[in-house]
Amino acid sequence: MNRDIQEFKSEFFKALAHPLRIRILEVLSEGDRNVNEIQAIIGSEGSAVSQQLAVLRNKNVVSGTKDGTSVVYSLRDPLIKDLLKVAKQIFDNHLVDAISMLENIRKE
């Protein structure tokens, strides 16, 4: 595999490697939002949301468009929404496996 692609993937997944950034992406997958809207939905401090948005912008995961005095954020690539869905499916699969393993242990 091309080293540039591997490097891109590594940096991309580093950008996703924070629970608040994942939550921000989930919110943005539902539609474009400004910092105040994201903060209200998540229930987190504005400074924390702004810091994580800066990381996502620097890694080109989200983009921001000036709208008056605020910036409206959006996903740079709509496939990120699909990636989040796949990650949820993987989580569900692991959960099903863990439940099955626990049921087998209880039977023993």
Side-chain angles (χ1 to χ4, degrees):
M1 187 181 292
N2 185 326
R3 185 148 172 76
D4 291 337
I5 294 172
Q6 292 170 340
E7 188 66 30
F8 170 81
K9 287 178 181 179
S10 174
E11 292 302 313
F12 178 77
F13 284 115
K14 283 179 192 175
L16 303 182
H18 191 283
L20 185 53
R21 290 195 290 264
I22 295 294
R23 184 65 185 116
I24 289 168
L25 294 175
E26 290 170 343
V27 168
L28 292 177
S29 72
E30 297 169 2
D32 300 350
R33 303 272 192 263
N34 65 36
V35 174
N36 291 333
E37 292 170 326
I38 296 169
Q39 177 185 344
I41 292 167
I42 294 175
S44 180
E45 292 182 19
S47 62
V49 169
S50 294
Q51 289 172 348
Q52 299 309 326
L53 280 166
V55 171
L56 293 169
R57 277 184 82 167
N58 289 336
K59 298 293 185 178
N60 293 313
V61 178
V62 301
S63 60
T65 306
K66 195 93 164 130
D67 183 23
T69 59
S70 64
V71 177
V72 176
Y73 291 92
S74 60
L75 300 177
R76 282 187 62 93
D77 190 322
L79 288 174
I80 292 170
K81 187 175 181 177
D82 295 335
L83 179 65
L84 294 171
K85 285 181 186 176
V86 169
K88 171 76 168 71
Q89 290 171 335
I90 292 169
F91 172 81
D92 290 347
N93 291 343
H94 284 271
L95 189 58
V96 167
D97 290 345
I99 290 169
S100 176
M101 185 172 49
L102 285 172
E103 288 173 349
N104 287 336
I105 290 171
R106 286 185 185 155
K107 290 177 184 176
E108 293 176 356

